[in-house]
Every structure is written in structure tokens, then in C-alpha cells.
Amino acid sequence: MANTPVRKKSKTNDSAESPIRTIKKAQTKSLEGKASLGYCLGLDETSALHWRLASNDGGGYFSDEWVPFSAIQAALAEWPEDRPITSMALRPLFLGKSANNPSFLLATLVKEGVLERKPDTRRHYQLCDPKPFLAEVDKLKAGHSKAKTVSYTH
């Protein structure tokens, strides 16, 4: 989409500074395949993993704050086991933020192998074994132990 802006983010009122060391920058398609989404994985001062939406060439708004992976895991764990996972499971992570955030985050979680599409469905997902993803994160941590820490404010 050559004539669309590369990034639109929603405004946030949170001015807290959070030093995060980026260990991975990646891209994936949106769930509908119409846009390319950029995202980052990063570590805080305690080496806790964080996730951030960084870009969208499809023109939809999103907020780009860092979200702790532990909060993502908790939101997914709280989702009723008898219901397939949808982007609604991630909505509590972004209350008062852009409506696009949950589905954009879901697309990145699928890309990283945290979730996968349920067979024979379009909008239902299921958890994957987290071990391969976490092993990859451990490799990234080791490989980026000297990466520059960036402070990110909203």
C-alpha cells in the first residue's frame, strides 16, 4: 500500500517511562492479511519479556505501549477453556485504547507460535506449546545481552 501511512497510533495519557531493551523486531500480516504489522519483543530491567505493536501499513490506529508477556499469558489463561480464543481474550490488556490492538496483537502471537488458528475456522485460535517460543526468546536474550536499552514514553 504505497500511498498509506506507515504508522498511526492512538494517543495515550500514560507518561511513565519504561526502559525496555529491544531483542527482536519483526513483521507479520494482519489476521485478515490486508496489512503488514510491525512488532517488537523486549526485556525490562528484570529480563521480563514485553511485547509492543510498532507499525501498521494498513492505516488502522493502534497504541504502541509495551505489554508484559506475563499479562498476555494471564489474559489467555483467564479465557474460558470451553470457548475458542479470539481477539476478545486480549481486550483487557488495552482498555480505553485502540480497538485494533487485540487483533493486531493476536496476529503477532500467531506469528511467534504462541497461538495457532484452530482447524477449519477463520477466527478461532488455540494455545500452542510455549516451549519453542520461549527457547527462541532465551536465544535472543543471550544474543542481545549487549543490545542498547531504549526508553520508551507514550
Side-chain angles (χ1 to χ4, degrees):
M1 298 180 186
N3 294 329
T4 58
V6 172
R7 178 178 180 182
K8 289 184 180 181
K9 67 176 186 171
S10 61
K11 302 289 183 190
T12 64
N13 293 329
D14 184 3
S15 61
E17 203 169 298
S18 175
I20 302 288
R21 180 170 41 107
T22 299
I23 60 171
K24 181 176 183 176
K25 293 180 181 180
Q27 290 192 334
T28 191
K29 289 290 187 186
S30 64
L31 295 174
E32 305 243 343
K34 295 180 180 179
S36 180
L37 305 171
Y39 64 99
C40 301
L41 301 180
L43 303 174
D44 67 15
E45 63 278 353
T46 67
S47 292
L49 182 63
H50 292 253
W51 216 283
R52 180 173 76 89
L53 300 169
S55 65
N56 168 27
D57 72 2
Y61 287 93
F62 65 94
S63 56
D64 59 359
E65 74 272 8
W66 289 100
V67 178
F69 185 57
S70 60
I72 295 169
Q73 290 175 302
L76 294 171
E78 291 172 8
W79 192 251
E81 288 184 31
D82 61 336
R83 293 176 56 195
I85 295 169
T86 66
S87 63
M88 295 303 291
L90 302 171
R91 187 167 293 283
L93 299 172
F94 301 104
L95 291 176
K97 311 287 183 179
S98 171
N100 294 322
N101 287 350
S103 62
F104 288 177
L105 178 59
L106 183 65
T108 67
L109 291 167
V110 170
K111 170 71 174 185
E112 292 295 329
V114 175
L115 296 171
E116 65 185 1
R117 190 180 311 262
K118 288 188 77 139
D120 303 320
T121 67
R122 281 193 67 217
R123 294 191 173 114
H124 296 160
Y125 298 83
Q126 60 193 10
L127 288 170
C128 296
D129 178 358
K131 290 177 187 169
F133 169 71
L134 295 174
E136 179 65 25
V137 168
D138 286 342
K139 288 179 189 175
L140 291 169
K141 285 180 180 180
H144 287 82
S145 61
K146 295 182 181 180
K148 182 180 177 184
T149 299
V150 295
S151 292
Y152 186 81
T153 57
H154 306 284

